[in-house]
Amino acid sequence: MSTPVNPDGTTSENVDAPKTAGTQSRARTLFGIGSGNAMEWFDWNIYATFAPFFASQFFNSKDPVSDVLSTLAVFAVGFLARPFGGLLFGWIADKKGRKLSMSLTIGVAAVGSLVIGLSPTYTQIGVGASLILLVARLGQGLAHGGELPSAQTYIAETAPNAKRGLWSSLIYFSGTCGIIIGTLMGAVLATVLTEEQMTSFGWRIPFIIGGLFGLYALFMRRRMYETETFVEETTLDEKLESAGGHHESIWQTIKAHPKLLFQVIGMVAGATVIYYVWAVSAPQYAINVRGIDPEGALWAGVGANLIFLIVLPIWGIISDRIGRKPVMLIALLGLAVLYFPLNAMIGTSAFSLFIAISIALIFMGGFSSIGPAVFAEIFPTRIRAVGLGVPYSISVALFGGTAPYLQTFFADRGMSATFQWYAIALGVISAIVVLTLPETKGIDLAHESVGAHGRRKVRA
């Protein structure tokens, strides 16, 4: 932040100036963002992983399959809540601060996890158990919708301009760690506990652990400082108002940049389908459709995600050197070209599945690692969180959330190629949208100017 200038032309430090993220240690920044983000992805993963074990505890249809379907329907409700979370917490992040929004999202998610883990069962309180599960997942869906845009905005505004691509890879790096930990916890508990024990109490363990860790992440985030970019924006607004000027409201700025909202939807549509197919549902697809041994398929997924962790920061570094657009185009177009060969490579063995997923995730890393940086770089500071949160959540819900279902649906009817062409088409659309973006490598996120009548000029 620039040093204040006195009327006589001398400068003096303002002892009352708020501390910003630039003054805190790098470790506090990275751990505060990464721990909360990992917890939210962990929470989202364990719900699907442990649903077969706790479904009968919240529903009582006398039909185990029906109970699981009801539980997964509640999971889908969480997806539907995400856009509203992006709107609510994105507005808080842009109006009240990134730190406050991130603290609220992790707090809501942690409480939701504890509520599920400690909830009475259907046998104890009847339909009340089902309602508790529904309300908890709605809260978590709202929190998840707000976490990503708030955390992405914070890490992008905190990172050095020349290393923003590398720093932004923390979002998917920490999230993937959360998914891997959740998967491993499921494998360990299923090994050491009997099926009866898993159904009775074992399923509660990951929710309680996730909730407690989430509260710790909340404590860490409360100790963080606000980003310098947001503080500067707020300070300038206050100066404009005190001088009789005015600034654009959040909604005015959003209305002035509708193109950005559609660009986000277009960029995310293809990327999220490919990500969910290869990073999330590939093992289940291989088990159900290709007949691969479940244990081998799950370990293949874990191993490929470890490869994903390695390539994420590498792609971030490359983007800081050659630019965002080349890296994203390599990722999206490379996956479009390789989609059919990779699908054929899956075969019927766990090893071939591991190779196919790994290759897909190596390319996918090019988009995932720098997506947070690109989204932050194309939006003005005033709408950097809410402008991303709503269209991003809508695109993920419409395309990513439905991808595993559509893939299995078409495969079951002998129409696997139909879904593959669908994924390829969306990937190409995302690549075309990337071509419409300016190159934003190394830009200063706080670089905005004041125009006539005191109104802020924002960069499109």
Side-chain angles (χ1 to χ4, degrees), residues 66-78:
S66 179
D67 288 341
V68 171
L69 290 175
S70 298
T71 306
L72 293 178
V74 174
F75 180 75
V77 168

Side-chain angles (χ1 to χ4, degrees), residues 230-266:
F230 179 80
V231 172
E232 287 184 339
E233 175 89 4
T234 303
T235 301
L236 183 54
D237 285 349
E238 292 173 352
K239 290 181 178 179
L240 285 172
E241 291 177 358
S242 64
H246 65 278
H247 59 80
E248 287 184 337
S249 69
I250 290 176
W251 309 119
Q252 287 174 324
T253 308
I254 289 176
K255 288 190 294 183
H257 298 83
K259 177 182 176 181
L260 293 177
L261 307 184
F262 290 103
Q263 285 176 318
V264 169
I265 292 176

Side-chain angles (χ1 to χ4, degrees), residues 47 50-61 66-68 70-72 74 112-137 199-200 203-204 207:
Y47 186 95
F50 288 87
F53 298 106
F54 68 77
S56 60
Q57 304 297 306
F58 290 96
F59 299 94
N60 188 31
S61 67
S66 179
D67 288 341
V68 171
S70 298
T71 306
L72 293 178
V74 174
S113 188
L114 287 174
V115 167
I116 295 174
L118 300 174
S119 173
T121 65
Y122 189 97
T123 302
Q124 294 170 322
I125 62 171
V127 71
S130 306
L131 292 175
I132 288 175
L133 179 66
L134 176 62
V135 171
R137 288 305 294 176
T199 302
S200 176
W203 64 269
R204 296 182 183 272
F207 287 102

Side-chain angles (χ1 to χ4, degrees), residues 89-159:
F89 292 108
W91 179 85
I92 292 174
D94 288 329
K95 186 70 174 179
K96 303 297 182 180
R98 298 20 173 149
K99 171 189 169 182
L100 174 61
S101 181
M102 292 193 306
S103 297
L104 290 173
T105 59
I106 195 63
V108 171
V111 170
S113 188
L114 287 174
V115 167
I116 295 174
L118 300 174
S119 173
T121 65
Y122 189 97
T123 302
Q124 294 170 322
I125 62 171
V127 71
S130 306
L131 292 175
I132 288 175
L133 179 66
L134 176 62
V135 171
R137 288 305 294 176
L138 279 173
Q140 289 183 319
L142 290 172
H144 286 295
E147 164 67 14
L148 203 61
S150 300
Q152 287 184 168
T153 298
Y154 189 97
I155 196 70
E157 291 182 347
T158 306

Side-chain angles (χ1 to χ4, degrees), residues 370-418:
I370 65 173
V374 173
F375 293 134
E377 289 166 346
I378 64 175
F379 277 97
T381 301
R382 191 178 302 282
I383 59 169
R384 188 160 286 141
V386 70
L388 166 65
V390 176
Y392 183 93
S393 297
I394 290 174
S395 193
V396 169
L398 287 178
F399 298 103
T402 59
Y405 175 84
L406 290 176
Q407 183 186 34
T408 303
F409 175 85
F410 284 113
D412 185 58
R413 286 157 177 75
M415 302 168 61
S416 295
T418 301

Side-chain angles (χ1 to χ4, degrees), residues 336-398:
V337 171
L338 293 174
Y339 203 98
F340 272 100
L342 289 176
N343 194 69
M345 188 184 295
I346 293 176
T348 57
S349 74
F351 180 75
S352 60
L353 174 65
F354 164 72
I355 297 298
I357 299 177
S358 296
I359 294 174
L361 292 186
I362 287 173
F363 278 89
M364 190 67 228
F367 186 96
S368 301
S369 65
I370 65 173
V374 173
F375 293 134
E377 289 166 346
I378 64 175
F379 277 97
T381 301
R382 191 178 302 282
I383 59 169
R384 188 160 286 141
V386 70
L388 166 65
V390 176
Y392 183 93
S393 297
I394 290 174
S395 193
V396 169
L398 287 178

